[in-house]
Amino acid sequence: VLTQEPPLPSIELLAKPEEKLAGIRFDPELLTPSRMQYAENLVLQHMVTGKRQELQLPENSEGIRYIRFHPLKSLFVFASKVKDEARLELYQCELVGNNNDSNNSGDDDDESEKVWTMTKIELHNRRMNFIQSCAYQFASDGSKLFIKVVPSTTSETPPDEPISTGPAIQEVQLGARKAPGRTYQDLLKNEYDE
């Protein structure tokens, strides 16, 4: 699979807001790492013959990311960013035999008889969660595709930020020795952060 990303990120991409929690920077709408670029084309090349097939990206696609291959079949999946929406869709590409039976020689390895097809995997309005890593992967035997989605019970809007009821008091035990402490960026400090 050959893909190509833009050489530099756009000003629009760099200006997008990002959430900062526990050292992670992410896009709160897409649930992906912040400021992520997407590949603008998809070309499949046979390793032996060098024959190439360019696949058209989905009609409403701004670009693709997170290509994952099936462990046993000529099949892969990828996420497609929907144009002008904060949404990613999941697609599957598979190498299948050509339906033209008159040219079928019966040789399953004949690349001229096979084409790559693309189909959308329906998520039923569930959002994938890419914050920690890719939101999907194949089982080691290829029998299933596991997809990490946001629970349907999760609210679309964040909870109201709590009102401070006073200072945060920390107690130090009597006789404790001074020691440097590690500092981590944007630690989760309360239930609201969580």
Side-chain angles (χ1 to χ4, degrees):
V1 174
L2 307 173
T3 62
Q4 184 173 3
E5 292 182 13
L8 295 170
S10 66
I11 298 296
E12 180 185 4
L13 180 65
L14 294 174
K16 280 186 78 171
E18 64 180 358
E19 229 15 89
K20 300 175 182 180
L21 287 177
I24 299 172
R25 306 292 186 260
F26 66 94
D27 182 327
E29 294 178 333
L30 281 175
L31 300 179
T32 61
S34 63
R35 301 186 176 127
M36 189 168 66
Q37 296 193 97
Y38 298 91
E40 298 172 335
N41 62 359
L42 180 61
V43 177
L44 303 152
Q45 180 174 333
H46 189 270
M47 294 294 290
V48 176
T49 65
K51 180 182 171 186
R52 291 184 177 194
Q53 177 186 345
E54 183 171 353
L55 284 180
Q56 294 299 316
L57 297 185
E59 189 174 302
N60 62 348
S61 180
E62 195 173 293
I64 65 170
R65 190 77 182 198
Y66 295 113
I67 296 172
R68 296 294 182 265
F69 294 92
H70 191 281
L72 303 172
K73 297 180 184 176
S74 297
L75 181 148
F76 63 92
V77 292
F78 64 86
S80 172
K81 165 74 173 69
V82 178
K83 269 186 190 166
D84 304 322
E85 289 185 40
R87 189 163 53 97
L88 292 166
E89 295 178 332
L90 189 59
Y91 285 86
Q92 169 182 303
C93 290
E94 186 172 13
L95 187 63
V96 295
N98 194 339
N99 291 333
N100 187 357
D101 292 331
S102 62
N103 293 336
N104 193 351
S105 63
D107 183 5
D108 288 340
D109 295 328
D110 186 3
E111 284 300 313
S112 64
E113 299 298 324
K114 295 183 178 181
V115 292
W116 285 93
T117 61
M118 184 185 309
T119 54
K120 182 179 174 183
I121 297 174
E122 191 57 53
L123 298 175
H124 305 290
N125 294 324
R126 303 287 295 274
R127 293 188 314 151
M128 294 180 282
N129 183 348
F130 293 90
I131 292 174
Q132 292 284 20
S133 63
C134 185
Y136 45 82
Q137 72 178 38
F138 286 100
S140 58
D141 64 356
S143 61
K144 295 190 183 327
L145 176 65
F146 296 105
I147 305 171
K148 181 173 50 175
V149 296
V150 177
S152 58
T153 56
T154 303
S155 171
E156 290 292 321
T157 58
D160 293 333
E161 195 162 349
I163 298 171
S164 176
T165 57
I169 299 172
Q170 295 180 343
E171 294 183 21
V172 178
Q173 293 180 352
L174 188 62
R177 65 181 181 89
K178 291 183 179 180
R182 291 189 179 192
T183 56
Y184 297 94
Q185 291 181 324
D186 316 309
L187 289 176
L188 305 180
K189 299 178 201 79
N190 52 39
E191 288 184 15
Y192 173 76
D193 286 352
E194 185 182 345

